[in-house]
Amino acid sequence: MNVSKKLYSYYLIWPALLIYSIFFVLPALIGLFYSFTDWRLDREAIKFIGWDNFERIFTDRTLLLAMKNTAIFAIVTVLGKNLLGIALAVGLNMKLKSKNLLRAVFYSPSILSVLVISIVFTPMLRSDGTINRIFEAVGLPSLSQAWLTNPALVIWTVAFVSIWQHTGFQMAIYLAGLQSISKEYYEAATIDGAGSWRSFRSITIPLLLPAININLMLTLIGGLKVFSEVFVLTGGGPGNASQVVGTIILRSFGEGSWGLGTAVNTLLFAAVTVIAIPLLIFMRRKEVSE
Amino acid sequence: MSKQMKKIATGLLAGIMTLTLAACGSDNSGKGNAAATDSGGGNSGGGSGSGKKVTIELAISKSSQDSAFVAQDVLDEFEQKTNIKINLQLLPAEQTATVLQTKLAVDEVPDLIQYNLASATTDLNLERNFEILDNEPWVGRLLNKDVLSAYDHVYSFHYSQDTGMQGVVYNKDISKDLGLEIPKNYEEFLAVCEKIKASGITPVFMPFKDNWAANIWPAAAFADWAAKNEPSLFEDINAGRKKWSDVPEFATFLDQQYEVYKKGYTNTDILSDSYDMAVGKFLNKETAMMFMGDWLIVNVAEKDPNVHLGLFAIPSSEDANLGASPLGGQLFIPKKAKHMAEAKQFLEFLASKEVAQKMVDSQGSVSNFSDVTTPKLPDYKQEIVDQYITPKKTTLTTDAYMIVDRSELYRLLQDEFAGGLDAKGVLKAWDEKFSQLMKDKGVEGF
């Protein structure tokens, strides 16, 4: 095979590479440049200011709170969406008459717009909303809370709503993973005397690792980049109590601090990369093949 | 792959890319060139006499598209008289500031912008980006230049002077039924609240999910106190000579608003309730009062003219003045407008006695031109004129003096009601943010 024939397949990626470079790589590099400037609407000329924007990020209390909230949201949703997703997938992988209906029911929230979720949950989570009324009706009034307006609770509430909405999507990926595991392994394990838990631990989990990896990556990146859920449910409030990095970027642009906003965005990109890639490599090494 | 195939593939790819990029750019370039093409290019002055049709761009928020400035009959009449066509750029309401900031930053400016003066000073860098209109022929006929001015210059146009009055909107019928008087100070206000509460009606509706709504009381109270006690206060604050927390009365005013809530005179879930619920609350007589602007009265009257609302000054101190904010959406001309002369001609047309009279009549507004007669006003507005505007008992709200984005202040005010900060904490945190924002703007003293 001559060299030009060997390179033939690479020609096919050029259009995609070109478009990707123009619309992603180039803006990202331009963004990186602006994050080191004092770019503002009211600047006659943009000035290079080194690490000033990044220093400010780490000294601004609201920005630090936003980072803390982002971390809480990411950890809670990664755990919630994946643990519940696996549990639902295992349950709905069993022989149930209504499993197709239940799969559709659990998956359906993930196709809803986050605006619809806001319209549904905002009145439910009010102090006099449905959730608190249910607590009162079952004799647990002490559990009633100001779910979206208590600064100590609000980010957890938003995380809960996100888990409710997206777990069905994670469940679908886990279901696909479960269905690719051969039944013969379970039959062999049963003959060897393994119970359900042992089979789950020693067969299901190891062979489900590719699906777990995908879901962990998706939920982690989604958690770190969270914006829409917070924006529509709380707008980052009350006060700044539920600000996350995504809403801080919006706030910075709204204040006209475009350089700062770009720096926060750059930092988010770096954080997602630094956390996600090593985790992906680590998890890939754990994968086993059938 | 043969050489011929490669050439064809490369040619196709190049063609697709060119088309893609051309399509991406066509919207802007198309709009940008429209005016120049129509006008024969450049700032020729166009208009009547030139014989050439000129199209000028007016950017306006979608939420303001029912503004009298852009009524179709007004635009048609202008076009007939001058051969200048106004093309409306309708901007999404929630993105208006961002879109305009971007347009100004990249010099892709419309010829006219409808925005509000207080926000234009902070969001759009008024001094740098907009034309001073001091020498326009209609300025000499203005009755109240203040509502159109900033930094001692007229920067905007409006035919009326009565927009954006802020205070306590109240239900006159409830007041009459309970035999209440308009409170002259804070203690009287609490007494009024107590009587309303005793009648089973919520005295005050606080929709503080929308954090800007928490600023109505302090914005009027701060300005009223400063105007009467320390007229140079905001000048000193903007020069870094004083801090917000240096004025103990400011903390008192914040405490007052919080106390109204703590005493149970409000809706219980103030941080979950939003402004869009306000009209319903008044229509259903669920609430008697609200700290808001006169636009709420108009909104309620549109739904039910039989609900009689009025407005009185925020009773933060003895016999306070009514807050006046130059809101409502004035017209501005960007310095880099491609058709400056035509844009000014449009303002001159709107300011003409006939057109201004027509707009004032249709809107029931208080004229801002000496030769335009104010029509019979709605009752609530006539009261405002008689009780506050004519005796000069109005004060520009604090917003008018702030040259930085105020949204963080609103969030801090909301935080006071969420229990995160007390009044002094709000002012201290705002001092820090304010200082940072002023420093970002390069203001001396910060």
Side-chain angles (χ1 to χ4, degrees):
Chain A
M1 188 184 282
N2 63 33
V3 176
S4 66
K5 281 189 176 172
K6 276 184 185 171
L7 292 177
Y8 166 71
S9 56
Y10 290 99
Y11 296 156
L12 298 175
I13 66 166
W14 286 4
L17 197 64
L18 191 65
I19 292 170
Y20 180 76
S21 302
I22 290 171
F23 293 107
F24 182 77
V25 179
L26 188 63
L29 291 174
I30 293 170
L32 183 66
F33 165 75
Y34 280 121
S35 65
F36 290 98
T37 68
D38 64 347
W39 186 30
R40 288 182 64 86
L41 172 67
D42 43 18
R43 287 276 179 275
E44 290 295 339
I46 295 168
K47 204 170 70 192
F48 186 76
I49 55 168
W51 293 96
D52 283 8
N53 284 329
F54 293 93
E55 270 181 49
R56 188 162 151 192
I57 291 169
F58 288 103
T59 52
D60 184 315
R61 275 183 295 181
T62 309
L63 289 167
L64 291 173
L65 174 66
M67 284 191 237
K68 183 182 148 196
N69 283 338
T70 307
I72 291 173
F73 183 91
I75 292 167
V76 170
T77 52
V78 165
L79 290 174
K81 289 174 187 175
N82 287 288
L83 292 176
L84 277 172
I86 290 177
L88 285 174
V90 170
L92 295 179
N93 199 36
M94 293 173 180
K95 285 179 184 169
L96 295 171
K97 274 189 181 172
S98 56
K99 71 178 179 186
N100 287 336
L101 174 70
L102 289 173
R103 283 177 187 176
V105 167
F106 285 115
Y107 184 75
S108 57
S110 62
I111 60 169
L112 296 176
S113 155
V114 74
L115 286 170
V116 175
I117 302 297
S118 163
I119 291 165
V120 171
F121 273 92
T122 306
M124 282 173 71
L125 293 164
R126 288 170 55 92
S127 300
D128 57 356
T130 318
I131 289 175
N132 284 345
R133 284 190 179 172
I134 290 171
F135 281 132
E136 281 156 22
V138 298
L140 295 168
S142 58
L143 292 179
S144 292
Q145 298 289 337
W147 301 101
L148 286 174
T149 55
N150 179 341
L153 269 182
V154 61
I155 194 67
W156 300 85
T157 308
V158 178
F160 162 79
V161 174
S162 180
I163 290 169
W164 178 87
Q165 185 184 8
H166 296 293
T167 296
F169 182 75
Q170 263 63 56
M171 176 201 74
I173 295 174
Y174 285 126
L175 264 174
L178 285 174
Q179 284 165 8
S180 70
I181 300 172
S182 169
K183 287 192 174 67
E184 288 167 7
Y185 293 111
Y186 294 104
E187 286 163 7
T190 309
I191 292 166
D192 289 344
S196 311
W197 172 244
R198 181 63 193 265
S199 294
F200 177 74
R201 203 174 46 139
S202 303
I203 299 171
T204 308
I205 293 292
L207 293 177
L208 200 58
L209 269 177
I212 294 175
N213 287 349
I214 291 169
N215 271 336
L216 275 184
M217 279 305 109
L218 288 175
T219 49
L220 180 68
I221 293 170
L224 292 172
K225 285 170 59 184
V226 58
F227 171 76
S228 50
E229 291 96 328
V230 175
F231 185 71
V232 299
L233 280 168
T234 68
N240 283 310
S242 61
Q243 294 280 10
V244 287
V245 173
T247 53
I248 285 290
I249 292 169
L250 181 75
R251 187 191 77 162
S252 301
F253 278 87
E255 286 171 358
S257 305
W258 300 346
L260 179 67
T262 316
V264 180
N265 203 15
T266 302
L267 199 70
L268 177 64
F269 175 77
V272 171
T273 309
V274 166
I275 295 169
I277 290 180
L279 184 68
L280 183 66
I281 293 168
F282 174 77
M283 296 297 290
R284 276 279 157 83
R285 285 187 186 149
K286 297 279 178 192
E287 284 181 16
V288 290
S289 54
E290 288 190 48
Chain B
M1 184 187 276
S2 69
K3 275 187 181 176
Q4 197 179 358
M5 279 296 285
K6 271 191 221 169
K7 277 183 186 170
I8 292 169
T10 314
L12 274 173
L13 179 63
I16 291 166
M17 289 303 297
T18 311
L19 279 173
T20 310
L21 294 173
C24 289
S26 66
D27 192 31
N28 279 344
S29 59
K31 277 181 185 170
N33 290 337
T37 309
D38 285 353
S39 67
N43 301 331
S44 61
S48 57
S50 72
K52 292 175 186 169
K53 187 153 187 125
V54 180
T55 300
I56 65 176
E57 302 287 331
L58 194 167
I60 183 170
S61 167
K62 272 185 183 170
S63 60
S64 306
Q65 60 183 309
D66 55 352
S67 163
F69 298 134
V70 294
Q72 198 52 52
D73 58 335
V74 172
L75 300 184
D76 289 345
E77 191 183 335
F78 178 64
E79 188 179 345
Q80 262 183 353
K81 279 190 176 170
T82 62
N83 213 15
I84 300 171
K85 181 178 164 56
I86 306 284
N87 185 40
L88 294 183
Q89 294 180 5
L90 292 176
L91 311 178
E94 66 283 4
Q95 291 169 23
T96 303
T98 314
V99 172
L100 289 176
Q101 284 175 346
T102 311
K103 280 177 179 287
L104 291 166
V106 299
D107 291 344
E108 181 62 41
V109 289
D111 301 299
L112 283 157
I113 285 173
Q114 183 171 342
Y115 211 67
N116 75 66
L117 185 65
S119 299
T121 56
T122 57
D123 301 349
L124 305 181
N125 197 349
L126 194 70
E127 278 181 299
R128 181 182 146 192
N129 290 317
F130 292 96
E131 182 78 353
I132 292 173
L133 304 173
D134 290 348
N135 297 323
E136 292 309 298
W138 46 268
V139 172
R141 294 160 49 223
L142 286 176
L143 292 167
N144 184 354
K145 275 189 194 177
D146 287 351
V147 295
L148 302 174
S149 302
Y151 313 113
D152 299 325
H153 292 293
V154 174
Y155 272 99
S156 59
F157 170 86
H158 206 296
Y159 54 84
S160 82
Q161 54 171 318
D162 59 333
T163 53
M165 292 300 174
Q166 297 176 20
V168 181
V169 173
Y170 73 107
N171 185 313
K172 289 184 188 174
D173 298 329
I174 293 174
S175 229
K176 196 175 166 190
D177 290 348
L178 298 174
L180 303 172
E181 295 284 320
I182 289 178
K184 293 275 193 299
N185 56 43
Y186 182 62
E187 286 68 33
E188 285 183 20
F189 180 72
L190 291 181
V192 163
C193 286
E194 192 59 45
K195 281 186 185 168
I196 296 171
K197 189 181 175 187
S199 75
I201 297 170
T202 302
V204 180
F205 180 59
M206 287 187 175
F208 290 175
K209 182 182 182 185
D210 295 314
N211 52 24
W212 59 267
N215 190 49
I216 300 290
W217 180 290
F222 288 9
D224 179 58
W225 184 88
K228 288 173 179 167
N229 298 282
E230 200 177 331
S232 66
L233 177 63
F234 294 121
E235 199 180 307
D236 289 341
I237 286 175
N238 284 333
R241 292 189 291 268
K242 273 211 161 183
K243 293 186 170 188
W244 296 86
S245 55
D246 289 341
V247 187
E249 287 80 3
F250 284 4
T252 305
F253 297 143
L254 296 184
D255 280 335
Q256 287 175 343
Q257 183 170 234
Y258 186 62
E259 194 179 31
V260 174
Y261 162 66
K262 286 307 281 183
K263 280 182 175 288
Y265 296 146
T266 68
N267 40 319
T268 50
D269 224 356
I270 62 168
L271 294 176
S272 295
D273 292 343
S274 52
Y275 174 76
D276 55 19
M277 299 161 74
V279 171
K281 295 281 177 189
F282 277 99
L283 289 176
N284 298 332
K285 292 192 171 58
E286 288 176 48
T287 195
M289 297 184 286
M290 183 170 162
F291 312 143
M292 196 39 65
D294 52 3
W295 55 85
L296 173 64
I297 302 176
V298 179
N299 293 158
V300 173
E302 280 168 0
K303 298 276 182 195
D304 185 354
N306 296 317
V307 177
H308 303 107
L309 303 185
L311 186 74
F312 61 82
I314 297 286
S316 53
S317 49
E318 195 68 35
D319 211 13
N321 287 344
L322 190 69
S325 176
L327 298 174
Q330 297 92 335
L331 292 174
F332 298 82
I333 303 178
K335 276 183 182 165
K336 292 183 179 170
K338 292 181 188 75
H339 299 86
M340 177 73 75
E342 288 84 351
K344 287 184 175 176
Q345 206 175 334
F346 182 56
L347 298 192
E348 212 176 318
F349 167 77
L350 293 176
S352 66
K353 191 179 170 187
E354 299 73 31
V355 178
Q357 187 68 61
K358 200 158 63 178
M359 289 193 290
V360 166
D361 290 346
S362 70
Q363 300 290 310
S365 304
V366 181
S367 167
N368 201 10
F369 291 111
S370 51
D371 53 355
V372 174
T373 314
T374 296
K376 178 171 168 29
L377 299 173
D379 289 349
Y380 84 89
K381 199 172 270 188
Q382 190 59 55
E383 280 175 19
I384 292 172
V385 172
D386 295 343
Q387 292 170 18
Y388 296 101
I389 295 176
T390 306
K392 297 198 180 300
K393 288 192 68 182
T394 63
T395 305
L396 275 180
T397 56
T398 311
D399 291 359
Y401 302 98
M402 284 208 245
I403 57 172
V404 292
D405 184 87
R406 301 176 296 278
S407 47
E408 182 68 8
L409 172 62
Y410 302 162
R411 279 189 282 267
L412 294 169
L413 292 171
Q414 196 186 44
D415 210 8
E416 185 185 8
F417 291 89
L421 291 168
D422 61 9
K424 284 180 181 164
V426 169
L427 293 169
K428 191 169 173 291
W430 176 236
D431 270 333
E432 285 172 24
K433 184 71 185 182
F434 182 76
S435 175
Q436 184 65 58
L437 291 171
M438 293 294 268
K439 202 172 155 186
D440 285 347
K441 281 184 84 77
V443 178
E444 277 183 43
F446 292 90

